């Protein structure tokens, strides 16, 4: 009986190791999950078998089947809880050299003047389809960054903005989306999609990323330049 359980556990581990991710979890966790699952499956299977077959033979058969099913299921749970996480798409992103841009506050009347929220841009990344860190004609790419609220109060009506420093023909950027609220100490991750048309002719493109408050004041702004290619 013990030998059969070991064979089932090893089979479950090999089966899980050949999943699409190709990653297997902690062997100890798999064995523990298999043992617990096998014991529980054996008990439940025995009860079901005894009720359906009216006798110890039905209970024994149900117990054996339940043990196998429970062992495999338990091993699967142990593997899922401990298997290394697959790499996110952002892990392959390129972090360009970024420079700070001087921001200008919009003039408002004293009656409506409020402290400027301490919104800061962080972790700016670029990722394109072929991962060559170049804006190629006909290619889709993304600009990903975080907006953090480093102030003591919530910021409302926050608008992340992605644009080019100069006008670039045959280049499209997804429109800005307003974030209703970012609480103090919290942040959001923002993604802008960039599409370069087949007729793109620029040799390099400078992107300007900024974040505005509800009054239209630019709280923080950054720039970075990437090469572009017609091919």
């Amino acid at each position: 009986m013990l030998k059969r359980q070991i064979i089932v556990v090893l089979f479950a581990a090999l089966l899980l190791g050949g999943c699409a991710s190709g990653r297997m979890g902690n062997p100890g966790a798999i064995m523990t999950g298999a043992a617990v699952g096998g014991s529980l499956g054996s008990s439940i299977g025995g009860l079901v078998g005894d009720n359906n077959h009216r006798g110890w033979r039905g209970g024994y058969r149900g117990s054996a089947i339940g043990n196998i099913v429970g062992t495999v299921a338990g091993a699967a749970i142990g593997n899922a809880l401990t298997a290394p996480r697959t790499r996110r798409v952002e892990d392959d992103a390129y972090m360009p050299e970024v420079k700070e841009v001087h921001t200008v506050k919009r003039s408002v009347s004293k009656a409506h003047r409020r402290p400027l929220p301490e919104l800061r841009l962080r972790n700016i990344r670029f990722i394109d389809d072929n991962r060559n860190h170049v804006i190629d004609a006909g290619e889709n790419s993304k600009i990903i960054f975080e907006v953090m609220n480093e102030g003591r109060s919530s910021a409302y009506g926050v608008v992340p903005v992605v644009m080019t420093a100069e006008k670039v023909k045959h280049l499209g950027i997804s429109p800005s989306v307003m974030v209703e609220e970012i609480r103090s100490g919290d942040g959001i991750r923002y993604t802008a999609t960039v599409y370069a048309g087949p007729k793109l002719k620029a040799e390099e493109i400078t992107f300007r990323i900024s974040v505005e408050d509800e009054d239209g004041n630019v709280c923080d702004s950054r720039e970075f330049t990437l090469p572009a290619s017609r091919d």
Side-chain angles (χ1 to χ4, degrees):
M1 184 66 179
L2 179 60
K3 182 178 180 181
R4 183 172 61 184
Q5 287 182 341
I6 294 174
I7 293 173
V8 171
V9 171
L10 292 176
F11 171 74
L14 289 173
L15 180 64
L16 293 166
C19 291
S21 63
R23 298 170 182 265
M24 190 174 74
N26 188 305
I30 294 176
M31 293 292 289
T32 301
V36 174
S39 178
L40 182 60
S42 178
S43 300
I44 296 175
L47 292 174
V48 173
D50 184 58
N51 290 334
N52 289 341
H53 297 279
R54 297 179 181 181
W56 67 270
R57 287 187 177 86
Y60 177 78
R61 183 180 299 176
S63 177
I65 296 174
N67 180 271
I68 294 173
V69 174
T71 298
V72 175
I77 294 173
N79 180 77
L81 292 177
T82 59
R85 296 183 178 180
T86 56
R87 290 173 62 86
R88 298 178 303 170
V89 174
E90 292 91 329
D91 292 338
D92 296 326
Y94 170 65
M95 300 190 71
E97 184 177 349
V98 178
K99 65 178 182 180
E100 186 174 0
V101 178
H102 178 67
T103 58
V104 179
K105 300 179 181 179
R106 181 177 296 179
S107 59
V108 294
S109 62
K110 292 184 179 180
H112 296 85
R113 186 173 297 170
R114 286 175 289 194
L116 191 67
E118 295 183 31
L119 298 170
R120 298 291 179 265
L121 297 169
R122 294 286 184 268
N123 201 17
I124 298 173
R125 292 155 288 167
F126 171 81
I127 184 165
D128 53 337
D129 287 343
N130 60 15
R131 307 297 197 274
N132 68 347
H133 318 318
V134 176
I135 304 290
D136 293 314
E139 183 182 36
N140 288 314
S141 55
K142 294 180 180 179
I143 296 175
I144 306 168
F145 56 93
E146 292 149 17
V147 179
M148 304 298 299
N149 182 0
E150 299 180 355
R152 297 182 179 180
S153 58
S154 294
Y156 299 95
V158 178
V159 181
V161 179
V162 178
M163 57 187 298
T164 55
E166 299 178 352
K167 186 176 180 179
V168 179
K169 294 183 178 180
H170 310 294
L171 186 79
I173 302 175
S174 58
S176 298
V177 177
M178 185 185 71
V179 181
E180 292 185 3
E181 178 185 6
I182 302 180
R183 296 181 179 179
S184 174
D186 286 349
I188 58 106
R189 186 180 66 174
Y190 190 85
T191 300
T193 301
V194 179
Y195 174 70
K199 297 182 179 180
L200 181 71
K201 297 181 180 180
E203 295 183 354
E204 64 177 23
I205 300 172
T206 298
F207 291 95
R208 179 173 297 170
I209 301 173
S210 60
V211 55
E212 300 180 359
D213 67 0
E214 58 185 326
D215 294 324
N217 291 307
V218 177
C219 303
D220 195 10
S221 185
R222 298 284 190 273
E223 281 188 357
F224 66 91
T225 302
L226 292 172
S229 173
R230 303 179 187 180
D231 300 331

